[in-house]
Amino acid sequence: MASQNNSGSDLGFEAELFKAADKLRGNLEPSEYKHVALGLIFLKYISEAFEHHRAKLLQEEFADPEDPEEYLASNVFWVPQEARWENLQANAKRPQITFIDVATGRERVGDIGNLIDNAMDSIERANASVLKDVLPKEYGRPQLDKTMLGELIDLFSNVGMHSADGKSRDLLGRAYEYFISQFAGAEGRRGGEFFTPRSVVQTIVEMLEPHNGRVYDPACGSGGMFVQSERFVENHQGRRSDIAIYGQERNHTTWKLCKMNLAVRGIDADIRWNNEGSFLNDAFPTLKFDYAMANPPFNISDWWQPQLEGDVRWKYGTPPAGNANFAWLQHIIHHLAPRGTAGVVLANGSMSSQQSGEGEIRKAMIEGDVVDCMVALPGQLFYSTQIPACLWFLARDKSANGHRDRRGEVLFIDARNLGHMVDRTRREFSESDIATITDTYHRWRAKPEAGFGEYEDIPGFCASETLDEIRKHGHVLTPGRYVGAEDAEDDGVPIAERFSALTATLEDQFSESDRLTALIRKKLAMVRDDV
């Protein structure tokens, strides 16, 4: 195996990944090179885990290091000879390579890109129950510089992803987070990734505390919510088997990424893909979940189809065709178990909008007593959008799960002043910020004997309000209205976008004015000529 020269305890690992990004940057769009690098990292990771386990089996008297079952029993992927990293590294700089094509069983001549594709195909076939149709197999395409691919293999050969005893250091998880987060910033909204920063996911998970039961995300992206849920269970001395994970994703490339992300962590999950998405083709129509966590795409306007009219999920009102925010909320509520809870990231406009019946749906949800807590987030938390965001926490039964009875009340938290800038454009919550938010919620929600202490309103930060008080505010849920710092209403549209739209409208009006002026002049000239 290659030397393991990176301890993973500092930024050295991320620095190596950045070198990889630089090598790819000149050849591909950001939305592509992320997947090229992640596929290779996945290959390196599972090959390294395989070699560590193989070395262990070689020391055991009755073990067979060539038996795939020996690896699968220990939650290690079986890696066939042709797919092992040492084979790729040995051939990384060769312009022509002769190998056996696993799809045909015949000898073939190709390049390093073809060899990588063959390795991916081989691993999928050997681990079909988990990886069928998941791994990327586009390394042989002409657009990829094969010299650059060879250099990437050399680069990743020097990045060790396991400690000396063979235990994972979760470097692959760090790699996924690094690439997705960094490239979400580089790609902007064009990238198609609605990446949720780790600190926001951690806040949701620490609020909901998914100790056991079913966990669901209807727009799961690369699986960040699930990874944090597993970490929560482990950090609280629980067992991974205590939670069952379900997700749906309509972007096929992102679905593959999610499957790889969860597979290398040994997380068993039922992640479904279809290109219609959760509204038109609900993958789990009859299942109910104990926890739901989601960061669905904000304010999407092209989601409605006629067959959704009268859908059973629209218990609180039919969502407007021009905005799916309240469709996501009602879809999630529909899927909650009788004592289920949910945390959802949405645009700020969802808290106050009165357009197209949204105010009436929000009112019905409040009167139905399913809104548990609202958290206003600071700006600049997200990589892929500058739209101000908030967190909705929902509960089917606000007297359940051993908590104090909070029926008829909603907790409002204004966290806009929390967080710190990590660079010129992006803010993050610290562990202390997350604890400030989550401890406030648990003091409000839990019974006194749970040990969180007594809840008290904090002017400017948090307030517990009754439904009567919320009615006085027209069922608007903006925390600033209740905690003592009046908030300007926000329809969720960024100022730059609003200004651009107004400018375009003004230009259209100027053009129409010019057209009418010309027409009037023409008519006047015709009248003058007749005279």
Side-chain angles (χ1 to χ4, degrees):
M1 292 296 294
S3 61
Q4 313 301 310
N5 65 356
N6 192 299
S7 68
S9 61
D10 53 28
L11 293 179
F13 181 61
E14 280 81 356
E16 292 299 303
L17 296 180
F18 191 79
K19 289 180 187 177
D22 264 355
K23 287 185 182 297
L24 290 161
R25 206 177 294 270
N27 296 82
L28 299 168
E29 289 295 315
S31 57
E32 291 184 85
Y33 62 64
K34 169 180 59 190
H35 298 288
V36 171
L38 284 174
L40 286 177
I41 292 172
F42 178 87
L43 208 56
K44 172 66 160 60
Y45 182 96
I46 65 170
S47 187
E48 188 176 300
F50 171 85
E51 292 294 349
H52 278 296
H53 195 67
R54 188 170 186 273
K56 182 181 177 182
L57 292 175
L58 286 170
Q59 301 300 315
E60 297 179 7
E61 184 176 357
F62 299 107
D64 180 2
E66 298 306 318
D67 181 2
E69 294 298 325
E70 294 275 14
Y71 298 85
L72 299 178
S74 298
N75 203 28
V76 175
F77 289 108
W78 167 256
V79 182
Q81 178 66 44
E82 64 273 7
R84 295 171 192 173
W85 191 262
E86 59 185 14
N87 183 46
L88 299 179
Q89 188 177 4
N91 290 284
K93 300 295 180 63
R94 296 177 60 190
Q96 279 197 337
I97 307 165
T98 301
F99 61 94
I100 302 299
D101 189 325
V102 297
T104 64
R106 298 175 182 174
E107 191 172 87
R108 177 183 173 188
V109 176
D111 54 36
I112 185 60
N114 302 130
L115 193 66
I116 295 170
D117 286 342
N118 195 59
M120 296 290 189
D121 193 7
S122 177
I123 291 169
E124 277 194 355
R125 291 168 185 267
N127 304 275
S129 63
V130 177
L131 296 176
K132 181 176 173 57
D133 298 327
V134 167
L135 303 185
K137 294 182 282 292
E138 297 181 343
Y139 291 89
R141 66 187 192 272
Q143 295 91 332
L144 273 182
D145 184 323
K146 302 309 182 286
T147 300
M148 175 268 300
L149 275 180
E151 291 174 352
L152 274 182
I153 290 172
D154 278 350
L155 181 64
F156 290 142
S157 295
N158 295 320
V159 179
M161 297 188 180
H162 294 73
S163 55
D165 60 4
K167 293 182 179 180
S168 165
R169 290 202 304 263
D170 196 31
L171 293 193
L172 186 71
R174 284 173 58 188
Y176 273 91
E177 289 173 355
Y178 175 80
F179 272 94
I180 295 169
S181 64
Q182 292 299 311
F183 297 159
E187 296 164 27
R189 297 175 70 181
R190 295 183 299 106
E193 297 279 1
F194 289 86
F195 177 75
T196 317
R198 183 194 295 191
S199 65
V200 176
V201 177
Q202 188 177 342
T203 301
I204 294 172
V205 171
E206 294 287 344
M207 295 273 274
L208 296 182
E209 296 188 310
H211 285 292
N212 53 68
R214 292 172 172 170
V215 180
Y216 173 58
D217 186 342
C220 63
S222 55
M225 298 282 187
F226 302 140
V227 171
Q228 289 283 8
S229 296
E230 291 274 347
R231 284 179 182 160
F232 178 85
V233 171
E234 292 175 349
N235 291 341
H236 291 79
Q237 290 71 53
R239 297 174 300 177
R240 284 185 171 188
S241 58
D242 287 342
I243 64 172
I245 286 172
Y246 299 81
Q248 183 166 353
E249 173 57 44
R250 68 179 300 179
N251 182 307
H252 195 249
T253 302
T254 307
W255 171 79
K256 289 182 176 182
L257 198 61
C258 181
K259 294 279 285 185
M260 286 193 288
N261 195 8
L262 299 180
V264 296
R265 299 171 189 269
I267 297 175
D268 188 21
D270 187 352
I271 310 297
R272 307 282 182 90
W273 167 83
N274 61 64
N275 59 11
E276 296 167 296
S278 294
F279 295 138
L280 293 176
N281 191 349
D282 187 351
F284 308 100
T286 61
L287 283 186
K288 302 295 182 181
F289 303 96
D290 301 288
Y291 308 95
M293 309 178 193
N295 175 22
F298 295 168
N299 301 328
I300 55 173
S301 59
D302 58 351
W303 71 282
W304 180 262
Q305 294 294 330
Q307 60 265 42
L308 292 172
E309 188 69 47
D311 194 287
V312 66
R313 290 170 289 185
W314 315 147
K315 178 179 178 180
Y316 300 99
T318 302
N323 193 317
N325 287 345
F326 282 91
W328 287 116
L329 289 173
Q330 293 191 85
H331 173 88
I332 287 167
I333 292 170
H334 172 76
H335 276 291
L336 287 182
R339 295 186 176 184
T341 55
V344 187
V345 185
L346 277 181
N348 271 5
S350 62
M351 298 189 291
S352 58
S353 172
Q354 303 293 340
Q355 299 173 357
S356 306
E358 289 185 335
E360 290 302 312
I361 299 174
R362 185 174 56 251
K363 175 182 176 181
M365 289 174 60
I366 294 167
E367 295 296 337
D369 210 13
V370 295
V371 180
D372 194 38
C373 175
M374 299 297 302
V375 180
L377 297 175
Q380 298 179 283
L381 278 178
F382 293 83
Y383 297 93
S384 53
T385 179
Q386 291 302 310
I387 297 175
C390 61
L391 301 180
W392 287 67
F393 288 92
L394 310 170
R396 286 291 295 271
D397 183 351
K398 290 157 71 172
S399 67
N401 300 330
H403 295 151
R404 75 177 77 192
D405 191 341
R406 285 293 188 181
R407 286 175 291 185
E409 298 176 70
V410 175
L411 177 64
F412 294 93
I413 298 176
D414 190 342
R416 290 175 301 165
N417 293 324
L418 298 183
H420 61 282
M421 299 301 292
V422 294
D423 55 42
R424 289 181 301 128
T425 61
R426 193 169 59 80
R427 181 182 297 270
E428 273 187 5
F429 282 148
S430 66
E431 292 290 333
S432 175
D433 295 327
I434 295 169
T436 297
I437 297 169
T438 57
D439 288 353
T440 299
Y441 175 72
H442 291 305
R443 282 195 298 272
W444 178 80
R445 194 77 169 89
K447 292 182 177 179
E449 56 266 30
F452 288 100
E454 283 296 323
Y455 169 81
E456 291 183 4
D457 288 351
I458 300 174
F461 178 67
C462 64
S464 178
E465 298 292 355
T466 64
L467 295 188
D468 282 341
E469 184 64 25
I470 297 171
R471 290 180 188 119
K472 293 177 184 177
H473 288 272
H475 294 90
V476 167
L477 293 175
T478 308
R481 287 198 170 206
Y482 303 95
V483 304
E486 185 67 23
D487 190 25
E489 300 300 345
D490 186 348
D491 62 4
V493 180
I495 292 175
E497 187 175 320
R498 192 196 312 276
F499 183 79
S500 178
L502 289 173
T503 301
T505 300
L506 189 59
E507 290 294 338
D508 289 343
Q509 291 172 345
F510 283 154
S511 296
E512 180 66 8
S513 175
D514 290 342
R515 187 186 70 81
L516 292 173
T517 299
L519 181 60
I520 292 170
R521 290 184 186 279
K522 182 178 178 181
K523 296 293 186 183
L524 289 173
M526 292 172 61
V527 171
R528 183 188 62 203
D529 291 344
D530 288 343
V531 173

